[in-house]
Amino acid sequence: MRKPVRKAVFPVGGMGTRFLPATKAMPKEMLPVVDKPLIQYAVEEAQAAGIEQLIFVTGRGKSAIEDHFDHSFELSHLLGSRGKEEMLNSITSWVPGPGRVSYTRQQEPLGLGHAVWCARDLVGDEPFAVLLADDLILSRTPCLKQMTNAYAETGGVMIATMDVPKEHVSRYGIMKVKRDDGRLAEVSGMVEKPSPDKAPSTLAAIGRYILHPEVFDHLEKVERGAGGEIQLTDALARMISTHPFHGFRFEGERFDCGDKVGFLQANVAFALAREDMRGEVADFVRNLSNTL
Ligand code: UTP
């Protein structure tokens, strides 16, 4: 029987240079969309997909993330004593139970592939998910849950994917596709950040992966690739002929919250999706667009 996906890796060791100066002393993953840090959206998405063990690959200056996923006794006591049950629930309901979260440190930000490799001993010999918190997805069913459902049929390697404009392919890992049923694309090649004239398609990898543990052997061997970083894409490309390998077109809208405009768009979209703020925010956006 296929092993279930029980563990998720959250690489949060990046420098977030596209978001300076906000990220000078604060982790990018703690930037809030409406009222919740990006990393909490990612953790809740993993929890909704049945993930039991959360593995953070952190770096220097990221300790706010560890504090966020711990209990805050003073705050809990204060809210409890004031009878603020709803608020109390909003800071405790998603905190992982004892022993359910582990941290390891990527001493140097050598790239996403290197960050994932740092988690090898914590993952061990089982399939696992990787979630990039700066890719925020607004959907009816959480994206990773959609993927674990599909993975139950396919196994192997699965990467969330979406079509991007041709002029944007150089920002993504791009897939070469063998067969495509509109939801699952069978992948026959992958290239990291190609120029538009060299891209094999416009189908891009988005920050949700289900990976086979063999990827660690390949990560150990790959050389630095695009941007001088150890690229996850390069290690994955070596597994295409030996494992079922799919791009998964998820239902939902993805926002690149590592980018300032993407982050602003996410805030508007997530606020409009919230019943308690939709009316006011919609009025504001409507009035604003009338003045443009
Ligand atoms: P990005 O490509 O967005 O890089 O990483 P970055 O350093 O975070 O941000 P910019 O480009 O300088 O603005 C994608 C994901 O991979 C993680 C990041 O934390 C982010 O979740 N990452 C990246 C690492 O964990 N370690 C790295 O060495 C690089």
Side-chain angles (χ1 to χ4, degrees):
M1 223 187 69
R2 187 161 289 137
K3 285 188 189 170
V5 185
R6 296 185 314 116
K7 298 184 178 180
V9 174
F10 302 87
V12 292
M15 300 294 277
T17 55
R18 283 173 294 152
F19 227 117
L20 285 168
T23 47
K24 184 177 173 212
M26 181 177 81
K28 167 171 75 172
E29 299 79 9
M30 287 301 290
L31 290 169
V33 167
V34 184
D35 55 3
K36 225 193 271 187
L38 289 169
I39 188 68
Q40 189 182 332
Y41 285 98
V43 163
E44 288 180 335
E45 183 180 326
Q47 289 169 330
I51 296 294
E52 296 167 9
Q53 193 68 31
L54 312 169
I55 301 166
F56 290 81
V57 182
T58 73
R60 267 182 298 285
K62 301 277 179 167
S63 51
I65 296 176
E66 291 180 43
D67 292 338
H68 191 71
F69 289 98
D70 196 358
H71 287 290
S72 167
F73 286 105
E74 279 175 4
L75 194 53
S76 297
H77 178 73
L78 184 83
L79 295 174
S81 67
R82 291 183 179 172
K84 307 247 183 212
E85 292 305 321
E86 206 176 309
M87 254 184 221
L88 183 59
N89 190 46
S90 79
I91 62 161
T92 53
S93 60
W94 43 269
V95 173
R100 293 294 185 203
V101 52
S102 333
Y103 297 91
T104 188
R105 200 132 152 170
Q106 184 189 23
Q107 288 106 334
E108 273 182 276
L110 295 178
L112 175 59
H114 181 256
V116 170
W117 181 71
C118 289
R120 64 199 179 284
D121 280 357
L122 292 167
V123 170
D125 188 23
E126 57 180 287
F128 64 104
V130 175
L131 294 95
L132 306 188
D134 41 8
D135 272 342
L136 183 59
I137 297 166
L138 183 60
S139 57
R140 279 190 300 268
T141 305
C143 182
L144 189 64
K145 177 71 184 149
Q146 297 177 39
M147 290 174 74
T148 50
N149 287 345
Y151 174 85
E153 313 272 309
T154 62
V157 170
M158 182 173 286
I159 308 177
T161 186
M162 67 182 213
D163 286 292
V164 297
K166 198 169 173 68
E167 62 272 24
H168 292 172
V169 289
S170 59
R171 301 178 190 173
Y172 299 90
I174 299 291
M175 299 172 190
K176 185 172 177 198
V177 177
K178 189 159 60 177
R179 220 166 300 132
D180 193 343
D181 72 6
R183 193 178 70 108
L184 279 173
E186 225 176 293
V187 175
S188 59
M190 261 187 101
V191 42
E192 184 62 30
K193 300 189 171 64
S195 57
D197 56 315
K198 300 236 170 68
S201 76
T202 53
L203 203 57
I206 298 306
R208 300 288 181 277
Y209 306 79
I210 297 177
L211 300 181
H212 186 282
E214 194 186 292
V215 71
F216 295 122
D217 299 336
H218 297 288
L219 282 169
E220 184 124 19
K221 290 180 208 134
V222 290
E223 318 242 302
R224 291 188 188 210
E229 296 193 331
I230 295 178
Q231 296 289 352
L232 182 59
T233 301
D234 296 344
L236 290 175
R238 296 175 177 208
M239 297 170 67
I240 288 173
S241 54
T242 50
H243 294 270
F245 203 114
H246 294 94
F248 177 79
R249 283 199 183 80
F250 53 95
E251 169 275 314
E253 194 174 352
R254 170 260 188 185
F255 299 92
D256 177 7
C257 291
D259 168 80
K260 292 171 190 174
V261 174
F263 176 75
L264 276 172
Q265 290 169 339
N267 268 285
V268 175
F270 274 71
L272 288 172
R274 289 249 309 236
E275 254 169 51
D276 58 335
M277 11 183 113
R278 182 182 305 139
E280 242 178 289
V281 176
D283 284 347
F284 173 73
V285 173
R286 229 176 272 122
N287 290 340
L288 196 62
S289 59
N290 287 340
T291 66
L292 296 177

